[in-house]
Short mmCIF file of all heavy atoms in Angstrom, two decimals:
data_model
loop_
_atom_site.label_atom_id
_atom_site.label_comp_id
_atom_site.label_asym_id
_atom_site.label_seq_id
_atom_site.Cartn_x
_atom_site.Cartn_y
_atom_site.Cartn_z
N SER A 232 -3.94 -36.53 52.61
CA SER A 232 -4.64 -37.80 52.48
C SER A 232 -3.84 -38.71 51.57
O SER A 232 -3.05 -38.27 50.76
CB SER A 232 -6.04 -37.56 51.93
OG SER A 232 -5.99 -37.22 50.58
N LEU A 233 -4.09 -40.00 51.72
CA LEU A 233 -3.36 -40.98 50.93
C LEU A 233 -4.21 -41.52 49.80
O LEU A 233 -5.36 -41.83 49.98
CB LEU A 233 -2.93 -42.16 51.81
CG LEU A 233 -1.88 -41.86 52.86
CD1 LEU A 233 -1.56 -43.12 53.67
CD2 LEU A 233 -0.61 -41.35 52.23
N ILE A 234 -3.60 -41.60 48.63
CA ILE A 234 -4.26 -42.22 47.47
C ILE A 234 -3.28 -43.24 46.94
O ILE A 234 -2.16 -42.89 46.57
CB ILE A 234 -4.60 -41.17 46.39
CG1 ILE A 234 -5.65 -40.22 46.92
CG2 ILE A 234 -5.07 -41.86 45.11
CD1 ILE A 234 -6.06 -39.16 45.94
N GLY A 235 -3.67 -44.50 46.92
CA GLY A 235 -2.78 -45.54 46.40
C GLY A 235 -1.50 -45.65 47.20
O GLY A 235 -0.47 -46.03 46.67
N GLY A 236 -1.54 -45.29 48.49
CA GLY A 236 -0.37 -45.40 49.34
C GLY A 236 0.57 -44.19 49.25
O GLY A 236 1.53 -44.10 49.99
N ASN A 237 0.31 -43.26 48.35
CA ASN A 237 1.13 -42.05 48.22
C ASN A 237 0.34 -40.84 48.67
O ASN A 237 -0.83 -40.73 48.38
CB ASN A 237 1.54 -41.83 46.76
CG ASN A 237 2.53 -42.86 46.27
OD1 ASN A 237 3.31 -43.38 47.04
ND2 ASN A 237 2.50 -43.15 44.99
N PRO A 238 1.02 -39.90 49.37
CA PRO A 238 0.32 -38.67 49.72
C PRO A 238 -0.12 -37.93 48.45
O PRO A 238 0.58 -37.97 47.44
CB PRO A 238 1.35 -37.86 50.48
CG PRO A 238 2.49 -38.78 50.77
CD PRO A 238 2.39 -39.92 49.82
N MET A 239 -1.26 -37.26 48.52
CA MET A 239 -1.77 -36.51 47.36
C MET A 239 -0.85 -35.34 47.03
O MET A 239 -0.63 -35.03 45.86
CB MET A 239 -3.17 -35.99 47.67
CG MET A 239 -3.79 -35.22 46.53
SD MET A 239 -5.42 -34.52 46.92
CE MET A 239 -6.38 -35.99 47.20
N PHE A 240 -0.31 -34.69 48.06
CA PHE A 240 0.54 -33.52 47.87
C PHE A 240 1.99 -33.84 48.21
O PHE A 240 2.26 -34.72 49.02
CB PHE A 240 0.07 -32.37 48.76
CG PHE A 240 -1.33 -31.91 48.47
CD1 PHE A 240 -2.37 -32.24 49.30
CD2 PHE A 240 -1.60 -31.16 47.34
CE1 PHE A 240 -3.67 -31.82 49.04
CE2 PHE A 240 -2.89 -30.73 47.06
CZ PHE A 240 -3.93 -31.07 47.92
N LEU A 241 2.91 -33.11 47.59
CA LEU A 241 4.32 -33.23 47.97
C LEU A 241 4.47 -32.85 49.43
O LEU A 241 3.77 -31.97 49.93
CB LEU A 241 5.18 -32.29 47.13
CG LEU A 241 5.27 -32.55 45.63
CD1 LEU A 241 6.19 -31.52 44.99
CD2 LEU A 241 5.77 -33.95 45.34
N THR A 242 5.40 -33.49 50.12
CA THR A 242 5.68 -33.12 51.50
C THR A 242 6.47 -31.81 51.50
O THR A 242 7.02 -31.40 50.47
CB THR A 242 6.50 -34.21 52.21
OG1 THR A 242 7.78 -34.29 51.58
CG2 THR A 242 5.79 -35.55 52.19
N GLU A 243 6.57 -31.19 52.69
CA GLU A 243 7.36 -29.96 52.79
C GLU A 243 8.80 -30.22 52.38
O GLU A 243 9.41 -29.42 51.67
CB GLU A 243 7.29 -29.41 54.21
CG GLU A 243 5.94 -28.83 54.58
CD GLU A 243 5.90 -28.27 55.99
OE1 GLU A 243 6.92 -27.68 56.43
OE2 GLU A 243 4.86 -28.41 56.64
N ALA A 244 9.35 -31.36 52.81
CA ALA A 244 10.74 -31.70 52.48
C ALA A 244 10.91 -31.90 50.97
O ALA A 244 11.90 -31.46 50.38
CB ALA A 244 11.17 -32.95 53.23
N GLU A 245 9.94 -32.57 50.35
CA GLU A 245 10.02 -32.79 48.90
C GLU A 245 9.94 -31.47 48.14
O GLU A 245 10.65 -31.27 47.15
CB GLU A 245 8.90 -33.72 48.45
CG GLU A 245 9.10 -35.16 48.89
CD GLU A 245 7.89 -36.04 48.66
OE1 GLU A 245 6.74 -35.55 48.67
OE2 GLU A 245 8.10 -37.25 48.47
N LEU A 246 9.08 -30.58 48.59
CA LEU A 246 8.95 -29.29 47.94
C LEU A 246 10.23 -28.47 48.10
O LEU A 246 10.67 -27.78 47.17
CB LEU A 246 7.74 -28.53 48.48
CG LEU A 246 7.32 -27.28 47.73
CD1 LEU A 246 7.16 -27.54 46.23
CD2 LEU A 246 6.02 -26.74 48.31
N GLN A 247 10.86 -28.58 49.27
CA GLN A 247 12.14 -27.90 49.48
C GLN A 247 13.21 -28.45 48.55
O GLN A 247 13.98 -27.70 47.96
CB GLN A 247 12.59 -28.03 50.93
CG GLN A 247 11.79 -27.18 51.89
CD GLN A 247 12.22 -27.37 53.34
OE1 GLN A 247 13.23 -28.01 53.63
NE2 GLN A 247 11.44 -26.81 54.25
N THR A 248 13.25 -29.77 48.41
CA THR A 248 14.23 -30.40 47.53
C THR A 248 13.98 -30.02 46.07
O THR A 248 14.92 -29.68 45.34
CB THR A 248 14.18 -31.94 47.68
OG1 THR A 248 14.49 -32.28 49.02
CG2 THR A 248 15.16 -32.62 46.73
N LEU A 249 12.73 -30.05 45.66
CA LEU A 249 12.37 -29.73 44.28
C LEU A 249 12.73 -28.28 43.93
O LEU A 249 13.34 -28.01 42.90
CB LEU A 249 10.87 -29.97 44.06
CG LEU A 249 10.34 -29.69 42.66
CD1 LEU A 249 10.93 -30.68 41.65
CD2 LEU A 249 8.82 -29.76 42.65
N SER A 250 12.36 -27.36 44.81
CA SER A 250 12.54 -25.94 44.53
C SER A 250 13.92 -25.41 44.91
O SER A 250 14.37 -24.40 44.38
CB SER A 250 11.48 -25.12 45.27
OG SER A 250 11.69 -25.19 46.68
N GLY A 251 14.57 -26.10 45.86
CA GLY A 251 15.83 -25.58 46.38
C GLY A 251 15.62 -24.41 47.32
O GLY A 251 16.56 -23.72 47.68
N LYS A 252 14.37 -24.20 47.73
CA LYS A 252 14.01 -23.07 48.60
C LYS A 252 13.44 -23.58 49.91
O LYS A 252 12.73 -24.59 49.94
CB LYS A 252 12.96 -22.17 47.93
CG LYS A 252 13.29 -21.75 46.51
CD LYS A 252 14.48 -20.84 46.45
CE LYS A 252 14.77 -20.41 45.03
NZ LYS A 252 16.05 -19.73 44.90
N ILE A 253 13.71 -22.87 50.99
CA ILE A 253 13.20 -23.26 52.30
C ILE A 253 11.95 -22.46 52.67
O ILE A 253 10.97 -23.03 53.14
CB ILE A 253 14.29 -23.11 53.38
CG1 ILE A 253 15.41 -24.11 53.09
CG2 ILE A 253 13.71 -23.32 54.77
CD1 ILE A 253 16.60 -24.02 54.00
N LYS A 254 11.98 -21.16 52.45
CA LYS A 254 10.83 -20.31 52.81
C LYS A 254 9.67 -20.55 51.86
O LYS A 254 9.86 -20.57 50.63
CB LYS A 254 11.21 -18.83 52.75
CG LYS A 254 12.14 -18.38 53.85
CD LYS A 254 12.32 -16.88 53.73
CE LYS A 254 13.16 -16.35 54.88
NZ LYS A 254 13.32 -14.89 54.76
N PRO A 255 8.46 -20.69 52.41
CA PRO A 255 7.28 -20.86 51.55
C PRO A 255 7.13 -19.76 50.50
O PRO A 255 6.78 -20.04 49.35
CB PRO A 255 6.11 -20.88 52.53
CG PRO A 255 6.71 -21.39 53.81
CD PRO A 255 8.10 -20.82 53.83
N SER A 256 7.42 -18.52 50.86
CA SER A 256 7.28 -17.43 49.89
C SER A 256 8.24 -17.60 48.71
O SER A 256 7.89 -17.34 47.56
CB SER A 256 7.51 -16.07 50.57
OG SER A 256 8.80 -16.02 51.15
N ALA A 257 9.44 -18.09 48.98
CA ALA A 257 10.42 -18.34 47.92
C ALA A 257 9.98 -19.54 47.07
O ALA A 257 10.16 -19.54 45.86
CB ALA A 257 11.80 -18.57 48.52
N GLN A 258 9.40 -20.55 47.73
CA GLN A 258 8.89 -21.71 47.00
C GLN A 258 7.79 -21.29 46.03
O GLN A 258 7.76 -21.74 44.88
CB GLN A 258 8.36 -22.76 47.97
CG GLN A 258 9.43 -23.40 48.80
CD GLN A 258 8.89 -24.27 49.92
OE1 GLN A 258 7.69 -24.29 50.18
NE2 GLN A 258 9.77 -24.99 50.59
N VAL A 259 6.90 -20.39 46.49
CA VAL A 259 5.80 -19.91 45.63
C VAL A 259 6.36 -19.17 44.42
O VAL A 259 5.91 -19.39 43.29
CB VAL A 259 4.82 -19.02 46.43
CG1 VAL A 259 3.85 -18.31 45.50
CG2 VAL A 259 4.07 -19.85 47.46
N ARG A 260 7.35 -18.33 44.62
CA ARG A 260 7.97 -17.61 43.50
C ARG A 260 8.56 -18.60 42.50
O ARG A 260 8.40 -18.46 41.30
CB ARG A 260 9.05 -16.63 43.99
CG ARG A 260 8.50 -15.37 44.59
CD ARG A 260 9.57 -14.30 44.77
NE ARG A 260 10.68 -14.74 45.61
CZ ARG A 260 10.70 -14.67 46.94
NH1 ARG A 260 9.66 -14.17 47.59
NH2 ARG A 260 11.74 -15.08 47.63
N TRP A 261 9.25 -19.62 43.00
CA TRP A 261 9.86 -20.63 42.14
C TRP A 261 8.78 -21.40 41.37
O TRP A 261 8.92 -21.63 40.17
CB TRP A 261 10.72 -21.57 42.97
CG TRP A 261 11.45 -22.58 42.14
CD1 TRP A 261 12.66 -22.40 41.52
CD2 TRP A 261 11.01 -23.89 41.80
NE1 TRP A 261 12.99 -23.54 40.81
CE2 TRP A 261 11.99 -24.47 40.97
CE3 TRP A 261 9.89 -24.65 42.10
CZ2 TRP A 261 11.89 -25.76 40.46
CZ3 TRP A 261 9.79 -25.93 41.59
CH2 TRP A 261 10.78 -26.48 40.78
N LEU A 262 7.71 -21.79 42.07
CA LEU A 262 6.62 -22.53 41.41
C LEU A 262 6.00 -21.69 40.30
O LEU A 262 5.70 -22.22 39.22
CB LEU A 262 5.55 -22.92 42.44
CG LEU A 262 5.97 -24.02 43.43
CD1 LEU A 262 5.00 -24.06 44.61
CD2 LEU A 262 6.06 -25.37 42.75
N LYS A 263 5.82 -20.40 40.55
CA LYS A 263 5.25 -19.51 39.51
C LYS A 263 6.19 -19.40 38.32
O LYS A 263 5.76 -19.47 37.17
CB LYS A 263 4.96 -18.12 40.10
CG LYS A 263 3.77 -18.11 41.03
CD LYS A 263 3.52 -16.72 41.60
CE LYS A 263 2.30 -16.73 42.52
NZ LYS A 263 2.07 -15.42 43.13
N THR A 264 7.49 -19.26 38.59
CA THR A 264 8.48 -19.18 37.51
C THR A 264 8.47 -20.44 36.66
O THR A 264 8.56 -20.38 35.43
CB THR A 264 9.89 -18.96 38.09
OG1 THR A 264 9.90 -17.72 38.81
CG2 THR A 264 10.95 -18.91 37.00
N GLU A 265 8.33 -21.59 37.32
CA GLU A 265 8.33 -22.88 36.62
C GLU A 265 6.95 -23.25 36.07
O GLU A 265 6.80 -24.31 35.46
CB GLU A 265 8.82 -23.99 37.56
CG GLU A 265 10.27 -23.85 37.95
CD GLU A 265 11.20 -23.93 36.76
OE1 GLU A 265 11.00 -24.81 35.90
OE2 GLU A 265 12.15 -23.12 36.69
N LYS A 266 5.97 -22.38 36.31
CA LYS A 266 4.59 -22.62 35.85
C LYS A 266 4.05 -23.96 36.35
O LYS A 266 3.43 -24.72 35.61
CB LYS A 266 4.51 -22.53 34.33
CG LYS A 266 4.83 -21.13 33.80
CD LYS A 266 4.71 -21.08 32.29
CE LYS A 266 4.84 -19.70 31.75
NZ LYS A 266 6.07 -19.01 31.99
N ILE A 267 4.28 -24.22 37.64
CA ILE A 267 3.76 -25.42 38.28
C ILE A 267 2.54 -25.01 39.10
O ILE A 267 2.63 -24.17 39.99
CB ILE A 267 4.82 -26.08 39.18
CG1 ILE A 267 6.00 -26.57 38.32
CG2 ILE A 267 4.21 -27.23 39.99
CD1 ILE A 267 7.15 -27.15 39.10
N ALA A 268 1.40 -25.60 38.76
CA ALA A 268 0.15 -25.28 39.44
C ALA A 268 0.26 -25.62 40.92
O ALA A 268 0.80 -26.66 41.29
CB ALA A 268 -1.01 -26.03 38.81
N HIS A 269 -0.26 -24.73 41.75
CA HIS A 269 -0.23 -24.93 43.19
C HIS A 269 -1.33 -24.09 43.83
O HIS A 269 -1.90 -23.21 43.19
CB HIS A 269 1.13 -24.53 43.77
CG HIS A 269 1.46 -23.09 43.54
ND1 HIS A 269 1.90 -22.61 42.31
CD2 HIS A 269 1.38 -22.01 44.35
CE1 HIS A 269 2.08 -21.30 42.40
NE2 HIS A 269 1.77 -20.91 43.63
N ILE A 270 -1.61 -24.41 45.08
CA ILE A 270 -2.52 -23.59 45.87
C ILE A 270 -1.79 -23.26 47.17
O ILE A 270 -0.81 -23.92 47.52
CB ILE A 270 -3.86 -24.30 46.17
CG1 ILE A 270 -3.63 -25.60 46.93
CG2 ILE A 270 -4.65 -24.55 44.90
CD1 ILE A 270 -4.91 -26.23 47.47
N ILE A 271 -2.27 -22.24 47.85
CA ILE A 271 -1.71 -21.89 49.15
C ILE A 271 -2.66 -22.46 50.20
O ILE A 271 -3.85 -22.15 50.22
CB ILE A 271 -1.58 -20.36 49.32
CG1 ILE A 271 -0.77 -19.75 48.16
CG2 ILE A 271 -0.93 -20.04 50.67
CD1 ILE A 271 0.61 -20.31 47.99
N GLY A 272 -2.12 -23.31 51.06
CA GLY A 272 -2.94 -23.93 52.10
C GLY A 272 -3.28 -22.94 53.21
O GLY A 272 -2.75 -21.83 53.27
N GLY A 273 -4.14 -23.37 54.09
CA GLY A 273 -4.53 -22.56 55.23
C GLY A 273 -3.36 -22.22 56.13
O GLY A 273 -3.42 -21.25 56.89
N ASP A 274 -2.29 -23.00 56.03
CA ASP A 274 -1.09 -22.74 56.83
C ASP A 274 -0.13 -21.76 56.13
O ASP A 274 0.96 -21.49 56.63
CB ASP A 274 -0.36 -24.05 57.13
CG ASP A 274 0.05 -24.82 55.88
OD1 ASP A 274 -0.20 -24.34 54.75
OD2 ASP A 274 0.62 -25.91 56.04
N GLY A 275 -0.56 -21.25 54.95
CA GLY A 275 0.27 -20.29 54.22
C GLY A 275 1.36 -20.92 53.38
O GLY A 275 2.18 -20.21 52.79
N LYS A 276 1.38 -22.24 53.30
CA LYS A 276 2.42 -22.94 52.54
C LYS A 276 1.85 -23.47 51.23
O LYS A 276 0.68 -23.85 51.17
CB LYS A 276 2.99 -24.10 53.36
CG LYS A 276 3.68 -23.60 54.63
CD LYS A 276 4.17 -24.75 55.46
CE LYS A 276 4.83 -24.20 56.73
NZ LYS A 276 5.24 -25.28 57.63
N PRO A 277 2.67 -23.49 50.17
CA PRO A 277 2.19 -23.98 48.87
C PRO A 277 1.93 -25.49 48.91
O PRO A 277 2.66 -26.23 49.57
CB PRO A 277 3.32 -23.64 47.90
CG PRO A 277 4.54 -23.57 48.76
CD PRO A 277 4.08 -23.09 50.10
N LYS A 278 0.89 -25.89 48.21
CA LYS A 278 0.54 -27.31 48.08
C LYS A 278 0.60 -27.66 46.59
O LYS A 278 0.01 -26.96 45.76
CB LYS A 278 -0.87 -27.59 48.60
CG LYS A 278 -1.14 -27.04 50.00
CD LYS A 278 -0.27 -27.67 51.05
CE LYS A 278 -0.60 -27.10 52.42
NZ LYS A 278 0.50 -27.19 53.36
N VAL A 279 1.31 -28.74 46.28
CA VAL A 279 1.50 -29.16 44.89
C VAL A 279 1.09 -30.62 44.78
O VAL A 279 1.54 -31.46 45.56
CB VAL A 279 2.97 -29.00 44.46
CG1 VAL A 279 3.16 -29.44 43.01
CG2 VAL A 279 3.43 -27.56 44.65
N LEU A 280 0.24 -30.92 43.81
CA LEU A 280 -0.18 -32.30 43.60
C LEU A 280 1.00 -33.15 43.15
O LEU A 280 1.72 -32.80 42.21
CB LEU A 280 -1.28 -32.38 42.53
CG LEU A 280 -2.66 -31.90 42.93
CD1 LEU A 280 -3.58 -31.88 41.72
CD2 LEU A 280 -3.24 -32.78 44.02
N ARG A 281 1.20 -34.26 43.83
CA ARG A 281 2.30 -35.17 43.52
C ARG A 281 2.24 -35.65 42.06
O ARG A 281 3.23 -35.64 41.34
CB ARG A 281 2.23 -36.38 44.46
CG ARG A 281 3.26 -37.45 44.20
CD ARG A 281 3.19 -38.55 45.25
NE ARG A 281 3.32 -38.00 46.60
CZ ARG A 281 4.49 -37.64 47.14
NH1 ARG A 281 5.60 -37.78 46.48
NH2 ARG A 281 4.51 -37.14 48.35
N ASP A 282 1.05 -36.06 41.61
CA ASP A 282 0.91 -36.59 40.25
C ASP A 282 1.28 -35.55 39.19
O ASP A 282 1.80 -35.90 38.14
CB ASP A 282 -0.52 -37.10 40.00
CG ASP A 282 -0.82 -38.40 40.74
OD1 ASP A 282 0.12 -38.99 41.32
OD2 ASP A 282 -1.98 -38.82 40.74
N LEU A 283 1.02 -34.28 39.49
CA LEU A 283 1.37 -33.21 38.55
C LEU A 283 2.87 -33.14 38.34
O LEU A 283 3.35 -33.04 37.21
CB LEU A 283 0.84 -31.87 39.10
CG LEU A 283 1.05 -30.67 38.23
CD1 LEU A 283 -0.02 -30.63 37.15
CD2 LEU A 283 1.00 -29.40 39.06
N VAL A 284 3.61 -33.22 39.43
CA VAL A 284 5.08 -33.13 39.35
C VAL A 284 5.65 -34.39 38.70
O VAL A 284 6.53 -34.30 37.85
CB VAL A 284 5.69 -32.89 40.75
CG1 VAL A 284 7.21 -32.97 40.70
CG2 VAL A 284 5.23 -31.55 41.30
N VAL A 285 5.12 -35.55 39.06
CA VAL A 285 5.59 -36.80 38.46
C VAL A 285 5.39 -36.76 36.95
O VAL A 285 6.30 -37.08 36.18
CB VAL A 285 4.86 -38.02 39.09
CG1 VAL A 285 5.15 -39.28 38.31
CG2 VAL A 285 5.27 -38.18 40.55
N ALA A 286 4.20 -36.33 36.52
CA ALA A 286 3.92 -36.25 35.08
C ALA A 286 4.83 -35.22 34.40
O ALA A 286 5.33 -35.45 33.31
CB ALA A 286 2.45 -35.90 34.85
N ARG A 287 5.06 -34.09 35.06
CA ARG A 287 5.90 -33.04 34.50
C ARG A 287 7.33 -33.52 34.29
O ARG A 287 8.01 -33.12 33.34
CB ARG A 287 5.86 -31.82 35.43
CG ARG A 287 6.84 -30.73 35.13
CD ARG A 287 6.24 -29.68 34.21
NE ARG A 287 7.17 -28.63 33.95
CZ ARG A 287 7.16 -27.44 34.54
NH1 ARG A 287 6.23 -27.14 35.41
NH2 ARG A 287 8.07 -26.54 34.23
N LEU A 288 7.78 -34.40 35.18
CA LEU A 288 9.15 -34.89 35.10
C LEU A 288 9.27 -36.15 34.25
O LEU A 288 10.31 -36.78 34.20
CB LEU A 288 9.71 -35.15 36.51
CG LEU A 288 9.84 -33.90 37.38
CD1 LEU A 288 10.30 -34.26 38.77
CD2 LEU A 288 10.79 -32.90 36.74
N GLY A 289 8.15 -36.51 33.59
CA GLY A 289 8.20 -37.61 32.63
C GLY A 289 7.91 -38.98 33.21
O GLY A 289 8.09 -39.99 32.53
N GLY A 290 7.46 -39.03 34.45
CA GLY A 290 7.13 -40.32 35.06
C GLY A 290 5.66 -40.63 34.87
O GLY A 290 4.93 -39.90 34.20
N SER A 291 5.24 -41.73 35.44
CA SER A 291 3.82 -42.04 35.41
C SER A 291 3.33 -42.11 36.85
O SER A 291 4.03 -42.60 37.73
CB SER A 291 3.55 -43.36 34.69
OG SER A 291 4.21 -44.42 35.34
N ALA A 292 2.15 -41.61 37.07
CA ALA A 292 1.59 -41.54 38.42
C ALA A 292 1.32 -42.95 38.95
O ALA A 292 0.93 -43.84 38.20
CB ALA A 292 0.30 -40.73 38.40
N GLN A 293 1.54 -43.12 40.22
CA GLN A 293 1.28 -44.39 40.88
C GLN A 293 -0.14 -44.38 41.41
O GLN A 293 -0.38 -44.01 42.55
CB GLN A 293 2.26 -44.59 42.05
CG GLN A 293 3.70 -44.63 41.64
CD GLN A 293 4.08 -45.99 41.09
OE1 GLN A 293 3.50 -47.00 41.43
NE2 GLN A 293 5.05 -46.01 40.20
N THR A 294 -1.09 -44.74 40.59
CA THR A 294 -2.48 -44.78 41.03
C THR A 294 -2.98 -46.20 40.97
O THR A 294 -2.48 -47.02 40.20
CB THR A 294 -3.37 -43.89 40.15
OG1 THR A 294 -3.26 -44.32 38.80
CG2 THR A 294 -2.97 -42.42 40.26
N ARG A 295 -3.96 -46.48 41.79
CA ARG A 295 -4.54 -47.82 41.78
C ARG A 295 -5.38 -48.01 40.53
O ARG A 295 -6.12 -47.12 40.15
CB ARG A 295 -5.44 -48.00 43.00
CG ARG A 295 -4.68 -48.08 44.29
CD ARG A 295 -5.63 -48.37 45.42
NE ARG A 295 -4.88 -48.47 46.66
CZ ARG A 295 -5.43 -48.57 47.84
NH1 ARG A 295 -6.74 -48.55 47.96
NH2 ARG A 295 -4.70 -48.67 48.91
N PRO A 296 -5.27 -49.17 39.93
CA PRO A 296 -6.12 -49.42 38.75
C PRO A 296 -7.58 -49.49 39.17
O PRO A 296 -7.90 -49.90 40.28
CB PRO A 296 -5.63 -50.77 38.21
CG PRO A 296 -4.90 -51.40 39.36
CD PRO A 296 -4.42 -50.29 40.26
N GLU A 297 -8.44 -49.05 38.27
CA GLU A 297 -9.88 -49.12 38.53
C GLU A 297 -10.32 -50.58 38.54
O GLU A 297 -9.80 -51.39 37.79
CB GLU A 297 -10.65 -48.38 37.42
CG GLU A 297 -10.43 -46.88 37.43
CD GLU A 297 -11.06 -46.23 38.65
OE1 GLU A 297 -12.17 -46.64 39.05
OE2 GLU A 297 -10.44 -45.32 39.20
N PRO A 298 -11.27 -50.92 39.41
CA PRO A 298 -11.78 -52.29 39.40
C PRO A 298 -12.41 -52.61 38.05
O PRO A 298 -13.04 -51.75 37.43
CB PRO A 298 -12.84 -52.31 40.50
CG PRO A 298 -12.71 -51.03 41.23
CD PRO A 298 -11.90 -50.09 40.39
N GLN A 299 -12.23 -53.83 37.59
CA GLN A 299 -12.79 -54.26 36.31
C GLN A 299 -14.00 -55.15 36.57
O GLN A 299 -13.91 -56.07 37.38
CB GLN A 299 -11.74 -55.03 35.49
CG GLN A 299 -10.50 -54.20 35.17
CD GLN A 299 -10.82 -53.01 34.30
OE1 GLN A 299 -11.55 -53.14 33.33
NE2 GLN A 299 -10.26 -51.86 34.63
N LEU A 300 -15.08 -54.85 35.90
CA LEU A 300 -16.30 -55.65 36.02
C LEU A 300 -16.21 -56.83 35.06
O LEU A 300 -15.99 -56.67 33.86
CB LEU A 300 -17.53 -54.79 35.68
CG LEU A 300 -18.87 -55.48 35.74
CD1 LEU A 300 -19.15 -55.99 37.15
CD2 LEU A 300 -19.96 -54.56 35.29
N ARG A 301 -16.35 -58.04 35.60
CA ARG A 301 -16.32 -59.25 34.77
C ARG A 301 -17.71 -59.85 34.77
O ARG A 301 -18.26 -60.17 35.82
CB ARG A 301 -15.34 -60.27 35.31
CG ARG A 301 -13.90 -59.82 35.19
CD ARG A 301 -13.00 -60.94 35.65
NE ARG A 301 -11.60 -60.50 35.68
CZ ARG A 301 -10.64 -61.20 36.20
NH1 ARG A 301 -10.89 -62.37 36.75
NH2 ARG A 301 -9.42 -60.76 36.17
N LEU A 302 -18.27 -60.00 33.61
CA LEU A 302 -19.58 -60.61 33.49
C LEU A 302 -19.43 -62.07 33.10
O LEU A 302 -18.64 -62.40 32.21
CB LEU A 302 -20.42 -59.88 32.43
CG LEU A 302 -20.67 -58.40 32.72
CD1 LEU A 302 -21.38 -57.76 31.56
CD2 LEU A 302 -21.48 -58.24 33.99
N ALA A 303 -20.18 -62.94 33.78
CA ALA A 303 -20.13 -64.36 33.45
C ALA A 303 -20.76 -64.58 32.07
O ALA A 303 -21.78 -63.98 31.75
CB ALA A 303 -20.86 -65.17 34.50
N SER A 304 -20.14 -65.43 31.26
CA SER A 304 -20.70 -65.66 29.92
C SER A 304 -21.45 -66.95 29.85
O SER A 304 -21.45 -67.77 30.70
CB SER A 304 -19.59 -65.65 28.87
OG SER A 304 -18.48 -66.37 29.30
#
């Protein structure tokens, strides 16, 4: 799903680039070694939240700002 125009989870290609691993089982081992939180999807492949990785690498997540309520004075 998309949040703020960015996918919630890293793509398979991004996860391969990040881990340097192609096989999902090898990616899971790498994620565990790096202590990166993940879940295993119904397809047997690891899913990693994009914002988690961005924050871990020192960036800031690209999220939409919350709407601001303006009261007339």
Side-chain angles (χ1 to χ4, degrees):
S232 73
L233 292 179
I234 294 180
N237 290 331
M239 181 183 297
F240 298 105
L241 295 181
T242 65
E243 289 181 37
E245 288 170 332
L246 191 51
Q247 287 178 9
T248 299
L249 181 67
S250 67
K252 311 293 181 190
I253 294 176
K254 289 185 176 181
S256 58
Q258 292 170 351
V259 169
R260 283 193 302 275
W261 184 85
L262 289 165
K263 287 180 179 177
T264 298
E265 294 298 316
K266 296 181 172 61
I267 296 176
H269 61 282
I270 59 170
I271 306 302
D274 59 1
K276 297 177 181 176
K278 309 297 181 205
V279 180
L280 287 173
R281 176 176 305 281
D282 288 352
L283 182 81
V284 173
V285 169
R287 170 91 179 259
L288 296 176
S291 60
Q293 298 281 332
T294 57
R295 290 184 179 172
E297 292 292 321
Q299 300 296 315
L300 179 62
R301 292 184 186 171
L302 300 175
S304 44

